[in-house]
Amino acid sequence: MKKGANIAIGLIVVALATGGGYWAGHHGMGASHGAASIAAGSGQSGASPNKVRKLLYYRNAMGLADTSPVPKKDSMGMGYIAVYAGEDAEPDAANQIKISTEKVQKLGVRTQAASMKAIDRIVRAAGRIEPDERRVYMISPKFEGYVERLHVNATGQAVRKGQPLFEVYSPDLVSAQREYAIAAQGMQTLKGAAAETQAGMRQLAESSLLRLKNWDISGEQLKALAKSGEAKRTLTFRSPVSGIVTEKKALQGMRFMPGDTLYQISDLSSVWVMADVFEQDIGLVKSGSRAKVMIDAYPGKVFEGTVAYAYPTLNAETRTMQVRVELPNPKLLLKPGMFAQVDLAAPVGHKAVTVPLSAVIDSGTRSIVLVQAKEGHFDPREVKLGARSENDVEVLDGVKDGEQVVIAANFLIDAESNLQAAIGSFGHASHGAPAAAKAGEAALPSTTASAAGHKAEGSVDAIDAKGGTISIRHGAIASLKWPAMTMEFKVANGALLKNLTPGTLVAFEFVERSPGEWVITAIKAGAKMGGVAGASTPAEPHTAH
């Protein structure tokens, strides 16, 4: 009798347990809620009955800044995650990226403390190479004549100082030479004459000599004229400097008038870079500042110089001011007319919190810095940046002096942990981010939504061939921890929609091309993709938002 009573009691217990399990499954209780109930009732398996974990709250599985004191689901039907005492001791722990020490070493993560220091802001400007105006020489005869012969007859030709350029014939020049020669001979003849006569002849000779000097006749030619007493028919013009013939107008046999420019010679051993600085940066540029010049013709090569002068006028059309940078050019690599990119160092003057440029992850809409909270724990911070130097950047808000920031492998941490989900508290969490982020643990690259494909099975709900989208009622997807739902996908190619109609059973593969944008890359009607882990046929799906 007693034995029969025990059997009856056992059957009742089994029936109650089975019914309770069916009821929990039917009402979609999340695993976290079940875990919380077990912990509250009988403790963890293998743990002491006295060590019962204290439930704090439930948080959003997608990393959104939303908590609940009771179990609940989000709009996609995903259950909130239970958080227990000791698991979330820090206020921002839910948003931290947690990576094992071994993985940190494999990724080559390096950190550096943010520090207070004054940095030089870099002002970038476009410029062009121009000859140094102080090294440009014009060859312009001061008398009328004819070009008799050319010794240098091509623009761009290199010349040495003193090298003959051309010979000219001028009646005025011949007449002036004869006048000087006669006066010089008269002085010799009248040595024994009266003082007044000698003085008059001397004055005539000096005026003739001064006239020839004013015509830029060289001293050697004047000495030869005085010695021989014979006027030469032609006069040779020589280069006053070593350089390049940048302009040549002289033609053999042509007539020229006083002041006509026949040659222009430029000494290019030193050149100017004329940089156009925008109006808002004018106050940062000072004379004597360091400048780095990059030329497209020489990739990777940097020419260094100094700001010699900032012009006092502004171009009203471009709203820019010209700044002159002087550069040595011993090998003549810099050619007048070349375009240049100029970086001007502008001292900020005050000290501020700075981090290396490599510490900043720029998404285009925001700047993120990973701050090491403790070993293996990284806190993504949105920062406001200020002045930049060649290696550092000023942080106006988001990081404090002395905090350790990640300067190497921060992009690998981003890919490893799905940073979009980790910074969900900023209000920009990615739709369908991997559930690994919900526990604060880094997901492997093979399971990161943005780095790998996912497989599922379901049935076609609707097709928009014109828009290139398809709505599929799919089963649960284990790789993303998604429940069964109906959601819209884009297709990588319109041909993938061929032969598909609403109601068709399909197996498909998809990737996350950008946050929240899921694209089908392969789809088969009535077939399986092969090894779809965790994918099940649709059953009571939730509608995705």
Side-chain angles (χ1 to χ4, degrees), residues 203-222:
Q203 185 177 1
L204 178 62
E206 289 177 354
S207 62
S208 299
L209 178 62
L210 181 61
R211 184 182 182 187
L212 291 173
K213 287 182 177 180
N214 290 339
W215 281 354
D216 296 332
I217 309 302
S218 66
E220 294 180 0
Q221 292 172 317
L222 293 176

Side-chain angles (χ1 to χ4, degrees), residues 45-97:
S45 177
S48 172
N50 295 329
K51 295 182 179 180
V52 179
R53 292 193 299 171
K54 181 181 179 181
L55 178 65
L56 298 178
Y57 56 86
Y58 295 84
R59 65 176 179 83
N60 188 281
M62 305 295 291
L64 297 177
D66 182 27
T67 61
S68 171
V70 297
K72 63 180 290 188
K73 293 184 179 182
D74 62 11
S75 57
M76 293 179 59
M78 299 181 67
Y80 275 40
I81 308 300
V83 178
Y84 298 94
E87 292 183 355
D88 198 9
E90 300 176 12
D92 296 329
N95 295 321
Q96 282 185 358
I97 301 170

